[in-house]
Every structure is written in structure tokens, then in C-alpha cells.
Amino acid sequence: MADAIVSEVVGRIATMLEDKIRYEVNLVRGVKDELRYLSEKLKSIQMVLDDAEKRGVKDESVKRWLKKLEATAYEMDDILDEWNYYSLLKDKMEPKQKIGCSFIRSSCLCFKKVSVRRDIAKKTENVKAMLEQIYEERKKFDFVMAPPTTDPVPTPWRVQTTPFIDLTKVHGVDIHNKKEDIVSKLMLNGGHTQVLSIVGTGGLGKTTLAKLVYNDERVKDCFELRIWICVSDPFDVAGIAIGIVNEVGKETIPPNSNQLTLVLKKLEASISGNKFLLVLDDVWTEDNTKWEPLKISLQCGAAGSKILVTTRKETVAKMVGTLNDDMYHPNKLSEEECWSLLCDTSLLGKSDEECGKFEVFGKKIARKCNGLPLAAVVLGTLLQFKDLEGWKDVEKSEIWQLENAKVELFPHLVLSYNDLSPALKRCFSYCAVYPKDHQIHARTLIEEWMAQGYLGSDSGNGALELKGRENLRNLAMRCLIQDIEKSESGEQIERCKMHDIVHDFAMFLRKNDDTERSCQACDSSLVSHVQEYRSLPWDYEPPVDERDGSFQVCNCMKSLRVLRIKKNVSLIPVGIEMLIHLRCLDFSWIELPKDDLEIICRLYFLQTLLLSCCGVTVIPREIGNLNQLRRLDLSMNGLEVIPQEIGNLVKLRELDLSHNYRMKELPESICSLVELQILKIEGTRINCVPEALGELSNLHTLQLCEFKVGSEYNKLGFLKTVYRCLTESLRLEIYWSSMSEMEELVEDARRAELQTVLQKLKSLNIYFRGRMNEMEQSSSSSMWMEVAEALVPHHNLKKLVIRRYEGSRLPDFMSSPHNYIKEIHLTFLSEVSSLPAMGKLPFLEILQFYRLDELMFVGREFIGIESSCDDVVVAFPKLEVLNFSRCSKWEEWEDMTEEEEEEEESAAISIMPCLTKLTIRSCTRLKKLPHRLLHKVSSSLQSLSIIDSAELVKTYGEDKEGSGWRSISQHNPQLQLKLRL
């Protein structure tokens, strides 16, 4: 792991030395030579680090040497930060000082510069002395020297499409036998709630056994409620109770409520009188006072209720009240079972003949898995990519001979760990910064890796993010992370977890030694945490001032690279300006005064700044100082104006301004953000987006609720420049106030070639907001048609909403059999008097009409079958939902004649074969439904709702045995009629 930080420091020194202009102006005399000396020493040490890190896992003295080197490298990294920080500070202060020409101010600044330089020079001397000592100490270990690696990620041949074993393929006779024993006991009825426990070491298959029991069909049939809760450490009674209540779903708990009495009452109400099975997975606490309140509340279930606990400690099983006969200890896999599991993982898809070549060495390796299923899976995944010689090397490895008690659980992980590159080792071990069983968000983790410098230097174009994604895939490939959740496309990992045993291993790698860290203000565990991770996550409890809920930044926190503050902290840390090394800062949901935001703008190395829902109303111009920012989240605040200085953030890749409801415009300088990839402005009042935004070649996501088009807004042609950035959903608001503007809109739409531009859209909402004088309005019908035809969506569109269309008829694409549209909503259509042949739409599933003010007659052409000779043999083949609402002039829905019905039956023509729900709402003049037409759909129709339609209620509601109702329901006695006035 030390290799990663050493490489980073060597690279930073090289950059400073090569930046001639900068060091000639800013470097203290002699510092340049000192930096070169330190760089050469580090490079020499770097050549033995590969061997040192492999030996450091089992040799404590080597591990201590590595930790000392790591700490020294971090110290050097901090010094380089300080030098750059004060150089930047000087650059930003000097122009202001020159304005007043004050001798006193200049003198103070001069004194400050001298003081800072002396301080940095002194720190550099200390680091040099430490490095000399480390350099000399390395000789006693006789490390094998190797050239430093330059490849930060594993080679491509290691990658596979899916490295994960199918969880349904559970190996081992013992686990199936124990499953049967446990299921048998669960089926027995008894008085008090019985507690059974599965006890064993990490990776032995406790959770797998519990899942087999939980999903057994006999168990499903036996219990009214089945609840699975992952407990982990610490044992949070309120959290567990809330989890049970949420899982059952009968009761609700107020948000952010953790009052134990209230929560336990809700738990009792949720399970009372029900026979339940509750699985508490991974229980650690031995404190009976924590378990007892929960146990009492769980006694209110029905007779025969059971609790199944998994734990690594037998003392825990006894504490929760498990009798010896109800305690199950999974046995290790036999060598043959281990080999079978390892074989299935590593030789998947190979023939028996090929597998035979690996069997001799494979069985020897399987023996070293020591019966742990997880060990066999992890090691098998590693072996997938090795030839026979590689298998021999693994079999000969001495890593399995470790006798150190601390690593008894880890030998099966060490080989996979040693196979990682230095940077990937660092990324892996950092994951232990999260608590056990924590769902890790991939994006957050990658941001923190970047903040720590684990992904190397930034070459632009999102290279670091891509490298982070690749590292995450490599960890998943080796089963070092699990419970993978991927994006909709299946291309990216969105969330993941670490197996407990893997988490323990990562923590072991990070742990410096058993020496207690001291600090007058802070707890020793916090000091160790900061030193080991340079990160203070949201779930860590810093020392809080009881008077105002704030906490003071302490000297022991100065090296922090990542700081995420919990929601329940009311104020930002006092003295945060001291944290000049911060790269990642999350203050979301913390009230943030303007003065505090100005302080944050002095943290010049910030790469990620999250200020969502902070009550911010003004962004200071100093925001432009943060020119290292990659991500800036200002969403859900009260912002009205974004300063032009935002254009200084030349490395910014994501800007979130969404849900700032007072914001009306974007600054033109936003078009200077050449690396911007994601811009979110939905939920704002921005009417016009800068035209030059379309010239940002890296922009691939533009999230907006509506795109306003018209003389005062953007042109439709602008969509042509940003279509690659649009999400799959778009709302178009179209404005005009005269016929000439309407004509201009049509021409603009035609030039924009919208059908091609909008081809990536899945959902399109067109809201017409045009208003003209009465004289022009009366002659605009044909122009409305032209507007609609000009906005013809791409045939791949899935959902279309049109609102306030004032043409007399609908455009032709509404009846085109070439469209893939699934859902259509037509609302406030004031002039449409007839409906086109929409039955020809082959994939339409939902069709809703609302406020068709001039619709009086729905003819048979709507079905899309004009005669029995028509080529269409199925009308509305996929339609499931049909809804007519508030069509106040609608008087008739034309039915078939008896002769036509007979002709169509002989022609095997089908109408709406999938229709399940028909709703007629507030259609006050309609007296009758088309009975013969509905005969064609009655077998699939499940619900007919007639609401606020008085004439129809008279026809069908007075007597369900009457002829009107019988004519509809005779082919479907199960049809439900819902009537309401």
C-alpha cells in the first residue's frame, strides 16, 4: 500500500521541479535541491516495495517499517500541499495589497511569507531525516529489488464478464443436512418464541445456511411473516426494530424517530398475533441489556414464532437464549467439496479433459482453503486467469504457512490481495473506512479514492473517474466486494458491500499498530481513524460542543482529505479553514451562512463540494478560487444568481443546480467549462439556456424539467446542438403570440430535423402555450397542424403527452402503424372534433383523453378497421387501459351494425384483445356504450368505471340485470362495474 502514496509523492515532486516558472518565483533557495534529494531516495525505496508489501502481511517488523514509510510519504505530501496552498494564497492576496500601497500591509505579508517558508523548510528537514532513517533500516530486511511499476491497474487479460459464483449452487453435504434439521424445528409449534442460532467463523457459510432455510418452500408456507434483518455492529435496538416494522409494512414510524419506546410499540403492533420467522444476521453484541428490550417485544407473536440468529460468537448465541440443542455449527467443507467449489469457480466451461490437467495441483490448493467456502470462491476466481504454471506457483506459495493469530482468517484473501497493483491495494483497503454491512455508493467511493490520490494524477476528460470504475470492476472480479447493484444498462456498478471477513482483512491492512494515539481534545479512536484513512465519514462522531452543537477542528484532523458531516450537526466545524488538504467536502443538509461559504472557498484543493439543501441564497464570487473542483452540488437551495466566476472552474465535470426555484438564468461563463459532462437544472425557472452550451464537447447529460421554445426563449434548433446531452425524458413548452411567430416556429422545427434529434427520447411532453388574438386564432387551424407535424417524434418514442393543442384534427403520426409508442395522453384539446385511426398503433398500451372540448362523435374509424377487407386484423392489439375524461360534448360512440359484427367475426378480426380497464369520467352527454364493439373485448375487460356521467349511470346502473348491462357483460360474468356520480 505504501507504494501508492510514494508514487504519488514522487510524481508531485517531479511536477513541481518541471514547473520552472513556478519554482523560480516561489521555491525557497535550496528547497529545489532538497526536493530532488527526497525524490531520489523515494525512488530507491520504491524499488523494493513490491517485496516489502508481500512480506509485510506476515512480518510485523516489515509492516511497521512500511507504516513508517507511509506516514513519512504522507507528511511529504502534506508539505507539498502547504507549499502550493500558500503560493496560491499569495497570488490571490497580492493584487489586493497593491491597490492600497500600504507599507504596513506589505510588511505583514512579507513577514508572513518568510514565516511560512521557514516553517515549510523546517518540516522538509524533518521529513528528510525520517527518510534517511527509513532508507538505512531497509537494508536489514534484504528486500528483493525490482523496478518500480508504472502500470496502476491489472493487465486486461485478468478481466472477465462475470466472475461471480451462482449462489444457488451451494456445496457441501453438511449445510444441506443442517438446513433440514433447522427447517424441521421451525415447523414445530410451541409456546414462547424460540431462538435458534447458527454459529461459526467468518466465511464459513452461516448466512448461506440461513438463506437456504429462509427460502425453503415449507418455511414460506408455515409462517405468516418472514423478516430478514442484517444486524452487524453496533447492535442498534431502535434500528433493528425500525427495520422489522418497515419490513412488515403494517405500521409507520415518523421520519428520523429513534425513540425506543415508540419504536418498540410499533414493532409489537406489527407482529402481534402473527406467526413470524425473524432472521437476525450477523449479531455481535454480548450485552444482554441491549437484547432484552427487543426480546420482550418479540414475545407478542403467535405461538410457533421463531428467531434465527447468525453469529461468530457462541457467547452471543447463549446471550439471546439459544439452548445447546438449538445451536448449529456449520462444518467446514471437506477437501473434496472444497475442490468441487474451487473447480466450479475457476474452470467453469472447460471440458473434463481440460479440468483433469489442473486436478493434482488444484486439490493441493483446495486443501489450503481450510474448508472455508469463501476462501474457495475467492481463490478460485484468482485461478480463473492462470495457466498450469500459475497454479503451480499458487500451490507453492508460503503465504498459507502464516501462524500469526491476527491473520488466521485472512490467508485465503492474501493471494488475491497480493495480485493487486499497488494503487488497487490502496483502493481496496480504503473500503474499510465504511462500517460493516454498509451499502457503498460507487460514485462516493471513487470520489474519495480521487481525493486520496489513489488514482494518480489527472489527465483530463474524466480519466480518473474511468480509472476508478475500472478499479471497482477489478475488486468485484476478485469477489473482494459483493452484493453488486448495477446501473439500468448493466454497464456500471452503482452500489456494493464488503463481506464481513473481507472487511476485517481490509481493516487489518490499515491498522498501524496497537499504540494508542493521544490528543487532548479528541478520542484516540478518532485520531487513529484520521491517521489511517485521512477521512472522517458522516457516521463518525467527532467531539461536539454541547452549547451550540458545533465541533472544533483539532490539530489531529489537519491531514484530512475527506470530510462528510452528518445531518444532525447544526453548524460547520469551527476552524475549518485549517483543513487546507481537503479534497472532498460534504455539508449536505447543514445550514450554511454566507460567511462560512466564503471560508470554504479558501480550501483551494477541493475536488468535490456537496452543498445540497444548505439554505444557501448567495454564492460568493470567491467560488472561482476552487479551480480544482470536479463536482459541485448546489441543489435544493434558494439561489437566484450564479456568479460569472463559476467559469473559472475549468476542471468541473458535474454541476448540479437543480431545484433552486428562484433561479431564472445561467451565467454566460458557464460555457467556459470545457470539461463539463453533467449539468442539472431541473426544478429551476431558467427560461433560456446559453446557446454556446451546445459547443461543450464533453457535455453528455443535460437534465431539465422543461425546454422552453419561442421568441423570448431558445430556438428549437438549439436541441440539435445538445441532443446528445438530453436524458430520455423531455418536456417542450412552446410559446408564441402571433401568426408570424407560429410560422417561424414551424420553419425552426423543420430546420432542426427533430425526428433525428429526438431519437434517443423515450418520453416527450409537448405543452403548447401559444396565445394569439381572436382574429388570428380563427384562421390558425391549418398552422396548428403544421406545428404538430413539424414536431413529429421519432418512431422509437415510448410515451407522448400533448397538452393544449388547438388544431381541429390530430396529426397523421397518431395513426401510423410504424410507431413503437406505448403510452399517449392527450389533454386540453379545444378544437379536435374527431379521432384518427389510433387502433393501428401496434404497441399502444395506455390511451387517455382529457378535456376534448369539441369531441361529439367517436366513429368506427377510431378502431382502425374501415371495412372487413382492411389489411389490419387486430385493432389496438396491446391496449390495456382506455380513459375518456371530461369530454363534455361527447354524445355518441359509434357501434357496429349486426351485419358488420358477423362479417368481422367471420374475418377473425380482433379488437382490443388485451383491454383490462375502461374508464368514462365526466362525459355527461354520452348515453350508451358500443355494445357490439365491447363484445369483442369483454373477455379480457376486468373493470368498467363510469364516474360523474349521469346518462350512462341511468343506462347501466339502475338495474344490473337490465338489457343494457347484459349486452356488455354476457361474455364476461366476472366484469366489475364501478358507478359513481
Side-chain angles (χ1 to χ4, degrees):
M1 292 187 298
D3 199 0
I5 182 61
V6 169
S7 298
E8 175 68 12
V9 171
V10 168
R12 290 192 70 186
I13 292 174
T15 300
M16 287 189 73
L17 293 177
E18 290 167 7
D19 190 350
K20 295 182 180 178
I21 296 176
R22 189 164 202 164
Y23 80 66
E24 284 174 3
V25 174
N26 292 323
L27 286 185
V28 182
R29 181 179 299 172
V31 169
K32 181 175 75 171
D33 293 334
E34 294 287 350
L35 289 178
R36 278 185 174 151
Y37 176 85
L38 291 171
S39 179
E40 292 304 316
K41 286 289 182 186
L42 286 170
K43 287 178 181 177
S44 298
I45 294 171
Q46 197 175 11
M47 296 179 71
V48 301
L49 285 183
D50 184 59
D51 184 45
E53 291 193 337
K54 288 179 179 177
R55 287 169 56 181
V57 178
K58 63 178 180 178
D59 189 326
E60 280 295 323
S61 61
V62 174
K63 185 177 181 180
R64 284 194 295 271
W65 180 83
L66 284 168
K67 290 295 181 182
K68 191 187 298 184
L69 171 63
E70 190 178 310
T72 304
Y74 272 137
E75 181 67 22
M76 189 65 239
D77 197 37
D78 286 348
I79 291 171
L80 298 177
D81 257 7
E82 289 176 32
W83 188 268
N84 283 328
Y85 176 81
Y86 287 112
S87 296
L88 287 168
L89 191 63
K90 182 180 79 70
D91 293 343
K92 295 178 190 304
M93 288 178 65
E94 280 190 337
K96 296 179 182 178
Q97 301 295 341
K98 290 176 182 176
I99 293 172
C101 297
S102 168
F103 173 76
I104 295 176
R105 286 185 177 182
S106 299
S107 300
C108 289
L109 181 61
C110 241
F111 179 79
K112 185 176 178 68
K113 286 193 290 184
V114 171
S115 174
V116 166
R117 290 182 175 187
R118 284 177 178 169
D119 185 50
I120 291 175
K122 185 176 180 181
K123 288 180 179 179
T124 304
E125 280 297 318
N126 291 339
V127 167
K128 180 181 176 183
M130 284 297 299
L131 198 59
E132 287 282 6
Q133 184 181 355
I134 292 167
Y135 184 78
E136 290 302 315
E137 286 178 356
R138 93 194 195 289
K139 296 176 182 177
K140 68 180 181 183
F141 296 113
D142 293 324
F143 293 129
V144 175
M145 188 173 292
T149 180
T150 56
D151 184 7
V153 295
T155 49
W157 59 268
R158 299 174 187 266
V159 180
Q160 64 171 355
T161 54
T162 171
F164 307 109
I165 188 170
D166 186 351
L167 292 177
T168 62
K169 297 178 181 177
V170 180
H171 288 253
V173 173
D174 178 73
I175 194 169
H176 289 287
N177 289 340
K178 283 190 169 60
K179 184 200 86 167
E180 290 301 317
D181 288 346
I182 296 173
V183 169
S184 297
K185 283 196 177 179
L186 294 182
M187 304 289 285
L188 297 174
N189 284 320
H192 293 294
T193 302
Q194 184 182 5
V195 183
L196 296 82
S197 291
I198 304 172
V199 185
T201 189
L204 196 57
K206 301 184 300 298
T207 300
T208 301
L209 175 54
K211 285 182 178 179
L212 285 174
V213 170
Y214 186 81
N215 292 296
D216 187 275
E217 290 300 325
R218 293 165 291 176
V219 171
K220 290 181 181 179
D221 294 336
C222 183
F223 294 93
E224 297 168 273
L225 298 175
R226 291 182 308 125
I227 308 155
W228 183 286
I229 301 293
C230 187
V231 179
S232 290
D233 200 32
F235 190 93
D236 178 11
V237 179
I240 295 168
I242 290 170
I244 295 171
V245 173
N246 291 339
E247 187 84 5
V248 174
K250 292 180 181 177
E251 298 287 327
T252 57
I253 296 174
N256 302 319
S257 175
N258 59 358
Q259 295 180 10
L260 187 57
T261 302
L262 169 65
V263 170
L264 290 177
K265 284 182 179 179
K266 293 285 187 179
L267 185 154
E268 291 175 9
S270 296
I271 64 173
S272 181
N274 291 291
K275 185 179 177 183
F276 69 85
L277 168 64
L278 170 63
V279 177
L280 296 175
D281 186 38
D282 195 24
V283 180
W284 284 78
T285 186
E286 299 174 47
D287 187 353
N288 187 58
T289 60
K290 292 183 177 180
W291 166 250
E292 197 63 24
L294 186 63
K295 181 180 179 181
I296 293 170
S297 295
L298 291 170
Q299 294 298 328
C300 65
S305 294
K306 301 288 193 295
I307 300 172
L308 180 61
V309 171
T310 72
T311 179
R312 296 188 188 185
K313 302 177 181 180
E314 190 166 307
T315 51
V316 172
K318 291 180 179 178
M319 184 273 296
V320 296
T322 309
L323 301 176
N324 287 338
D325 289 344
D326 296 331
M327 205 177 296
Y328 294 86
H329 297 80
N331 293 327
K332 293 181 179 180
L333 298 178
S334 67
E335 289 181 15
E336 195 62 35
E337 289 167 341
C338 241
W339 162 238
S340 177
L341 178 54
L342 187 143
C343 185
D344 282 356
T345 307
S346 58
L347 300 173
L348 191 64
K350 295 185 182 295
S351 65
D352 291 343
E353 184 180 349
E354 288 179 293
C355 292
K357 298 177 183 176
F358 295 89
E359 186 171 354
V360 173
F361 293 101
K363 286 188 173 181
K364 291 180 180 179
I365 294 170
R367 197 176 302 133
K368 295 175 181 179
C369 292
N370 199 24
L372 289 176
L374 181 62
V377 171
V378 173
L379 190 55
T381 305
L382 174 65
L383 291 169
Q384 267 184 325
F385 310 104
K386 296 186 180 296
D387 57 15
L388 187 58
E389 288 302 314
W391 282 52
K392 290 178 181 178
D393 291 339
V394 171
E395 191 273 322
K396 292 175 183 175
S397 173
E398 296 181 359
I399 208 73
W400 304 104
Q401 300 172 4
L402 298 176
E403 295 178 358
N404 192 316
K406 291 182 179 180
V407 292
E408 283 180 356
L409 297 178
F410 306 146
H412 57 285
L413 292 169
V414 172
L415 278 177
S416 288
Y417 173 74
N418 280 342
D419 201 47
L420 304 177
S421 68
L424 198 52
K425 286 177 181 176
R426 198 73 187 156
C427 290
F428 163 70
S429 66
Y430 180 82
C431 294
V433 77
Y434 300 101
K436 283 185 179 178
D437 202 49
H438 179 80
Q439 189 176 59
I440 302 171
H441 288 253
R443 179 193 199 176
T444 300
L445 178 60
I446 291 169
E447 283 178 346
E448 294 182 7
W449 283 345
M450 286 192 291
Q452 302 289 356
Y454 301 159
L455 303 181
S457 56
D458 190 3
S459 58
N461 296 321
L464 291 189
E465 288 88 344
L466 291 174
K467 193 180 293 183
R469 292 280 174 191
E470 182 64 24
N471 283 2
L472 203 57
R473 281 193 293 272
N474 274 284
L475 293 179
M477 178 192 72
R478 291 168 170 82
C479 297
L480 293 173
I481 56 174
Q482 64 171 27
D483 293 349
I484 306 295
E485 292 182 24
K486 293 197 172 183
S487 59
E488 243 180 72
S489 65
E491 295 178 0
Q492 290 188 345
I493 296 173
E494 295 292 330
R495 295 173 182 83
C496 61
K497 290 184 179 180
M498 290 187 89
H499 188 283
D500 281 359
I501 193 172
V502 179
H503 187 278
D504 287 342
F505 178 59
M507 286 191 71
F508 162 76
L509 294 169
R510 281 280 174 161
K511 189 173 177 60
N512 280 321
D513 50 50
D514 295 326
T515 305
E516 186 173 290
R517 304 299 191 273
S518 60
C519 175
Q520 292 182 348
C522 302
D523 184 83
S524 60
S525 61
L526 184 146
V527 181
S528 295
H529 187 91
V530 171
Q531 287 189 356
E532 288 159 13
Y533 297 99
R534 298 207 296 179
S535 172
L536 201 58
W538 59 90
D539 55 358
Y540 209 96
E541 292 287 355
V544 176
D545 190 324
E546 294 180 358
R547 292 171 298 179
D548 57 11
S550 66
F551 69 85
Q552 177 81 39
V553 169
C554 181
N555 282 337
C556 69
M557 300 180 187
K558 281 187 176 180
S559 63
L560 281 175
R561 291 313 200 252
V562 176
L563 178 61
R564 296 185 185 271
I565 304 296
K566 293 174 64 172
K567 290 184 184 180
N568 61 353
V569 176
S570 58
L571 299 170
I572 74 165
V574 177
I576 193 173
E577 63 273 14
M578 295 167 56
L579 305 181
I580 64 171
H581 306 294
L582 276 180
R583 264 70 170 177
C584 182
L585 180 58
D586 185 355
F587 275 164
S588 299
W589 299 90
I590 309 297
E591 194 68 25
L592 194 65
K594 182 176 181 291
D595 292 345
D596 288 342
L597 185 51
E598 288 180 356
I599 292 173
I600 289 173
C601 291
R602 297 176 203 159
L603 303 175
Y604 302 133
F605 301 138
L606 281 176
Q607 300 168 354
T608 299
L609 178 57
L610 308 181
L611 303 175
S612 177
C613 207
C614 291
V616 176
T617 57
V618 178
I619 299 296
R621 296 173 58 187
E622 287 81 1
I623 192 74
N625 292 340
L626 305 180
N627 56 13
Q628 299 298 311
L629 274 183
R630 293 188 178 92
R631 180 185 172 203
L632 176 59
D633 186 351
L634 297 170
S635 62
M636 293 189 287
N637 284 296
L639 298 173
E640 185 174 346
V641 176
I642 299 297
Q644 290 288 344
E645 284 75 12
I646 198 84
N648 295 347
L649 309 183
V650 293
K651 292 188 176 182
L652 199 64
R653 289 165 173 77
E654 178 174 342
L655 177 59
D656 190 347
L657 302 173
S658 61
H659 303 292
N660 283 282
Y661 298 104
R662 299 170 58 197
M663 189 178 298
K664 296 181 180 178
E665 62 180 3
L666 292 173
E668 288 292 333
S669 64
I670 206 167
C671 302
S672 302
L673 304 178
V674 293
E675 293 204 20
L676 193 65
Q677 298 176 353
I678 301 172
L679 176 61
K680 300 178 181 179
I681 55 174
E682 69 268 37
T684 66
R685 296 169 61 190
I686 294 172
N687 291 328
C688 192
V689 180
E691 293 284 338
L693 202 65
E695 298 173 11
L696 298 179
S697 59
N698 289 311
L699 189 66
H700 60 66
T701 301
L702 176 59
Q703 291 186 3
L704 30 69
C705 280
E706 62 275 327
F707 182 77
K708 297 181 179 180
V709 175
S711 57
E712 298 179 9
Y713 309 103
N714 286 102
K715 301 289 186 183
L716 274 169
F718 178 61
L719 289 174
K720 193 171 184 178
T721 64
V722 295
Y723 78 93
R724 70 185 186 281
C725 315
L726 297 176
T727 56
E728 293 184 343
S729 178
L730 176 66
R731 172 174 167 144
L732 277 178
E733 291 193 1
I734 301 176
Y735 294 77
W736 65 80
S737 57
S738 66
M739 183 72 78
S740 61
E741 287 184 6
M742 204 173 185
E743 291 171 350
E744 185 179 335
L745 176 70
V746 171
E747 186 58 33
D748 181 23
R750 288 171 178 164
R751 284 197 303 268
E753 300 173 343
L754 289 187
Q755 192 172 39
T756 302
V757 167
L758 302 179
Q759 61 183 323
K760 70 184 289 186
L761 290 182
K762 295 289 187 292
S763 174
L764 176 61
N765 186 327
I766 304 175
Y767 190 174
F768 293 101
R769 290 180 173 269
R771 292 290 179 268
M772 292 185 287
N773 59 49
E774 290 184 10
M775 184 177 297
E776 287 190 318
Q777 180 66 32
S778 61
S779 60
S780 66
S781 180
S782 61
M783 184 57 68
W784 274 96
M785 279 294 300
E786 289 193 49
V787 170
E789 293 291 354
L791 295 173
V792 170
H794 193 270
H795 62 263
N796 284 329
L797 192 73
K798 298 297 184 290
K799 179 179 179 180
L800 175 64
V801 179
I802 296 181
R803 184 179 175 91
R804 296 200 180 278
Y805 170 72
E806 296 183 17
S808 59
R809 68 181 182 86
L810 291 169
D812 293 340
F813 68 79
M814 289 288 189
S815 56
S816 169
H818 303 296
N819 287 336
Y820 295 161
I821 194 102
K822 289 186 175 182
E823 190 172 345
I824 295 177
H825 299 258
L826 302 174
T827 68
F828 292 97
L829 275 58
S830 61
E831 304 297 326
V832 170
S833 57
S834 62
L835 300 179
M838 302 181 79
K840 294 182 178 181
L841 297 171
F843 300 99
L844 188 64
E845 296 174 1
I846 298 174
L847 178 57
Q848 297 192 346
F849 300 99
Y850 180 83
R851 284 284 304 270
L852 274 65
D853 295 340
E854 293 299 319
L855 182 69
M856 292 186 285
F857 179 79
V858 174
R860 279 170 289 178
E861 67 275 5
F862 171 61
I863 302 301
I865 304 173
E866 297 174 1
S867 71
S868 59
C869 299
D870 198 290
D871 290 337
V872 178
V873 293
V874 182
F876 288 111
K878 300 287 186 181
L879 190 67
E880 297 175 7
V881 176
L882 178 59
N883 190 336
F884 289 89
S885 295
R886 298 191 66 182
C887 300
S888 57
K889 294 184 180 180
W890 186 23
E891 295 182 351
E892 182 180 354
W893 188 348
E894 186 179 20
D895 202 356
M896 300 174 177
T897 65
E898 188 174 350
E899 293 78 13
E900 286 173 331
E901 185 180 20
E902 291 174 358
E903 286 178 11
E904 294 196 358
E905 284 178 357
S906 63
I909 292 175
S910 176
I911 298 175
M912 304 183 192
C914 299
L915 188 69
T916 58
K917 185 175 182 180
L918 172 61
T919 301
I920 311 293
R921 181 191 298 268
S922 300
C923 297
T924 54
R925 296 188 184 181
L926 187 64
K927 298 179 180 179
K928 184 180 179 182
L929 297 175
H931 296 167
R932 292 190 179 90
L933 190 150
L934 291 179
H935 289 170
K936 307 290 288 185
V937 303
S938 62
S939 60
S940 64
L941 194 61
Q942 298 173 9
S943 172
L944 171 59
S945 299
I946 299 174
I947 303 167
D948 297 330
S949 303
E951 296 295 333
L952 286 177
V953 171
K954 284 181 186 178
T955 304
Y956 302 107
E958 292 179 351
D959 180 9
K960 284 195 175 184
E961 299 300 321
S963 60
W965 176 246
R966 284 202 311 271
S967 65
I968 294 177
S969 63
Q970 60 182 326
H971 295 294
N972 184 2
Q974 304 303 317
L975 176 62
Q976 292 185 0
L977 175 64
K978 300 176 183 178
L979 298 172
R980 190 176 75 230
L981 282 175

